Amino acid sequence: MKLKEAFKDSCLFAFNIDDFVVLKAVLEAFEETGKPLIVQLSEGEVNWWGMENFFRITFPWQKRGGVFLNIDHGSSWPVLEKAIQQGFDMVHFDGSDLPWEENIAQTRRVVEMAHSQGVLVEGEPQADWTEVKKAAEFQRKTGVDLVAVFAGNRHGMDPQKPEHLDFSQLRALKEAVGEETGLTLHGGSGVPLEELERAIKEKLVVKVNINTLLRITYREEVEKSLAHYQGLRIYELMKPVKESLQEKVKLLLSLG
Ligand code: G3H
Ligand code: ZN
């Protein structure tokens, strides 16, 4: 199934993949649940993995179906171009810190290049809070497939300050971008699970991005494991880390 069809069927979680342990946890959660998902790399993560390395490792899952590849918050042309040529399913171009017209012009260029290769594009009109009129104009002028939106959600995660979604704003944004365009909820880590579930069930979003939750889980579990396991077998040391990550991923996948 192509990614465009997968978005019509359901909302997909998109997980940033720092390293092999995170990748193993996410792919094994996919094997267990059968729920389609996206594995994605930010430009920092691309630098760490090497795009070809990551593609060669994940390609068998992509080919079998159900696992899709994305570049997250890409802003440099060579990275986006390479991902499109390599066989990624989508790219997110983040021009939200550019002047408005420049963001539109550059996003359009990415859309032209990506669509000519059958690759989907996510664009980002504004960081922090997305205005309904701006989202509509941005979609109309760029032709993106997905719009990254902020309506109470933000990047990062502070357990003391959960991010509450503004559902009427999300509904207005969905209406503004039209039937054929999906909304991506960034900063999924800090949004309470019930609110993520509601946004998915009400079909307001087709993609939810998760990064910080996995990073926090990873650090905490590595520290615990180092304190408990004194041996040299790295696979023993990392096993509880992988298992905790996998549980978190499965819990999120169960919401969709
Ligand atoms: O693009 C990636 C995400 O928006 C991740 O946000 O780190 O708050 O989960 P998060
Ligand atoms: Zn993001």
Side-chain angles (χ1 to χ4, degrees):
M1 189 194 278
K2 285 245 183 208
L3 182 54
K4 199 166 183 136
E5 291 154 34
F7 283 138
K8 291 221 160 89
D9 254 28
S10 54
C11 173
L12 272 65
F13 278 88
F15 300 100
N16 284 74
I17 308 292
D18 262 307
D19 77 350
F20 280 106
V21 179
V22 181
L23 182 63
K24 182 170 167 63
V26 170
L27 292 178
E28 290 182 8
F30 166 72
E31 299 287 354
E32 270 190 76
T33 62
K35 293 264 175 79
L37 53 81
I38 296 169
V39 289
Q40 62 185 13
L41 300 182
S42 64
E43 291 200 5
E45 289 151 357
V46 166
N47 288 339
W48 166 244
W49 278 96
M51 202 185 294
E52 288 94 342
N53 289 341
F54 186 77
F55 187 74
R56 284 195 202 110
I57 294 161
T58 49
F59 174 67
W61 276 270
Q62 186 204 38
K63 196 171 168 210
R64 235 176 56 201
V67 173
F68 301 95
L69 274 61
N70 177 35
I71 294 294
D72 182 40
H73 292 282
S75 57
S76 65
W77 190 260
V79 168
L80 298 168
E81 193 173 31
K82 196 164 172 187
I84 290 165
Q85 283 162 3
Q86 188 101 70
F88 275 56
D89 299 280
M90 66 170 285
V91 293
H92 164 213
F93 172 70
D94 181 359
S96 60
D97 59 351
L98 296 172
W100 179 248
E101 293 301 337
E102 190 55 27
N103 185 9
I104 288 179
Q106 290 201 25
T107 306
R108 257 179 81 141
R109 275 183 65 210
V110 176
V111 168
E112 278 160 24
M113 170 173 68
H115 282 184
S116 70
Q117 305 297 318
V119 172
L120 303 185
V121 178
E122 175 177 331
E124 186 159 335
Q126 294 165 301
D128 304 328
W129 178 258
T130 316
E131 293 163 75
V132 174
K133 275 191 177 158
K134 291 277 189 192
E137 180 188 343
F138 183 84
Q139 198 292 325
R140 197 178 63 248
K141 292 185 171 167
T142 61
V144 289
D145 307 282
L146 289 108
V147 177
V149 291
F150 293 89
N153 49 312
R154 56 180 183 270
H155 285 115
M157 181 186 177
D158 178 352
Q160 308 309 321
K161 282 194 213 142
E163 301 156 31
H164 292 293
L165 298 177
D166 183 332
F167 281 91
S168 62
Q169 179 75 0
L170 270 183
R171 239 172 268 122
L173 287 165
K174 176 65 202 124
E175 201 143 302
V177 300
E179 186 86 346
E180 287 301 308
T181 308
L183 300 185
T184 292
L185 195 74
H186 280 250
S189 296
V191 178
L193 292 182
E194 327 67 83
E195 294 188 31
L196 288 183
E197 188 172 24
R198 183 174 160 200
I200 295 167
K201 296 263 149 74
E202 292 187 15
K203 296 195 180 306
L204 298 172
V205 296
V206 296
K207 176 167 166 277
V208 176
N209 283 8
I210 303 286
N211 192 4
T212 308
L213 175 69
L214 303 184
R215 288 179 165 177
I216 290 177
T217 304
Y218 197 123
R219 265 204 81 103
E220 286 176 355
E221 294 299 326
V222 166
E223 281 166 17
K224 274 197 240 160
S225 191
L226 280 168
H228 284 106
Y229 178 70
Q230 306 299 322
L232 286 176
R233 294 188 186 104
I234 301 302
Y235 54 81
E236 292 291 354
L237 181 74
M238 299 312 285
K239 198 171 169 204
V241 180
K242 194 277 297 184
E243 280 169 2
S244 293
L245 289 168
Q246 195 169 333
E247 285 314 307
K248 293 271 159 65
V249 170
K250 275 165 52 188
L251 179 64
L252 288 164
L253 293 176
S254 74
L255 303 177

